[in-house]
Amino acid sequence: MSIDRRSGCPINLSLEVFGDRWSLIILRDMIFGGKRHFRELLNGSIEGIASNILADRLKRLMELGMLTKADDPSHKQKAIYSLTEMAITLVPILAHLGAWGRIWLPVSEELSIRAELLEKGGPPMWEKFMDELRHEHLGMPSGTPPDATVRATLQAGYEAVVARKATGAGCDPGA
C-alpha cells in the first residue's frame, strides 16, 4: 500500500493512521468489546458507523498491518478479523487517551468506567490485557483463566455501574 506521507514526524505519521473518525473506534470495539466480525462491528458500536465506511476502514487497517482477515471456521460465509501485534500494542495508548478524556471531557460514568479501571490498573493491567489479546488474536499461550481476564474485569465494572444507575443507588435525592 502506498500512502502519501506529509513528513517523517512520528506524530504526523500516527495521525495519518488514526486521524480519521472511525479507525480507533473500530480498534476500540475489537480490543475492549471482543468484536471480530463485520456485523458485530457494524451493529455493536454506539457511534453508528455506516457499512461502506466500516468496510473501507477495515480494508485500510489491514493494508496498514493493524488487522488480518481469515475465513471463520464456524461459518463459511463469515470472515473473522484479528488484531496484529501492531494493534495490540495500542492498549497503553488507549488507556492514556481514556484517562485524558475522563479528566477533560464530559464523559458518562458507564462509558468511562473501563478507562478508570485501566488507569488504576496501570502498566501491569495493560501488559496482562495485551497478553490476553495475543492469546485471542495471535494464538499465543496464556495462563489467564477465562473468567479472570482483564476484559471480564472491565465488563464487570461497566455492568456494576449500569445496575447501580438502574436501581437509582448513589443518586442524589435532591437532584
Side-chain angles (χ1 to χ4, degrees):
M1 176 174 145
S2 176
I3 297 176
D4 186 24
R5 303 193 190 297
R6 293 181 296 227
S7 78
C9 169
I11 294 173
N12 170 67
L13 292 172
S14 298
L15 284 174
E16 288 181 10
V17 172
F18 304 116
D20 69 85
R21 183 178 182 146
W22 296 107
S23 293
L24 281 177
I25 298 299
I26 293 166
L27 292 169
R28 176 205 66 189
D29 289 350
M30 291 184 71
I31 290 170
F32 297 106
K35 295 170 178 41
R36 300 194 57 191
H37 296 97
F38 186 88
R39 286 271 172 232
E40 291 175 325
L41 291 162
L42 181 65
N43 299 325
S45 178
I46 62 172
E47 289 83 8
I49 190 169
S51 61
N52 62 322
I53 301 294
L54 176 59
D56 179 69
R57 293 314 182 276
L58 288 169
K59 180 181 176 192
R60 179 168 165 74
L61 289 168
M62 286 187 297
E63 290 170 346
L64 290 166
M66 305 289 287
L67 301 178
T68 60
K69 178 181 174 182
D71 292 335
D72 186 340
S74 69
H75 194 287
K76 296 264 187 220
Q77 294 178 327
K78 283 186 177 182
I80 189 164
Y81 293 91
S82 295
L83 301 166
T84 64
E85 181 67 17
M86 186 183 202
I88 290 169
T89 59
L90 288 171
V91 166
I93 294 164
L94 293 173
H96 283 289
L97 194 59
W100 182 88
R102 285 184 56 248
I103 292 169
W104 297 105
L105 302 172
V107 299
S108 68
E109 183 182 5
E110 62 273 14
L111 295 179
S112 66
I113 187 63
R114 292 178 182 101
E116 180 181 343
L117 294 171
L118 277 172
E119 183 180 355
K120 288 178 179 174
M125 181 182 245
W126 309 340
E127 286 298 327
K128 181 179 178 194
F129 195 23
M130 289 188 291
D131 287 343
E132 293 166 9
L133 291 168
R134 287 180 186 106
H135 172 70
E136 180 182 346
H137 290 266
L138 305 176
M140 297 175 77
S142 172
T144 307
D147 60 337
T149 64
V150 172
R151 188 182 290 137
T153 300
L154 300 176
Q155 184 63 24
Y158 168 79
E159 290 170 3
V161 170
V162 169
R164 181 179 47 76
K165 290 183 106 178
T167 63
C171 292
D172 181 4

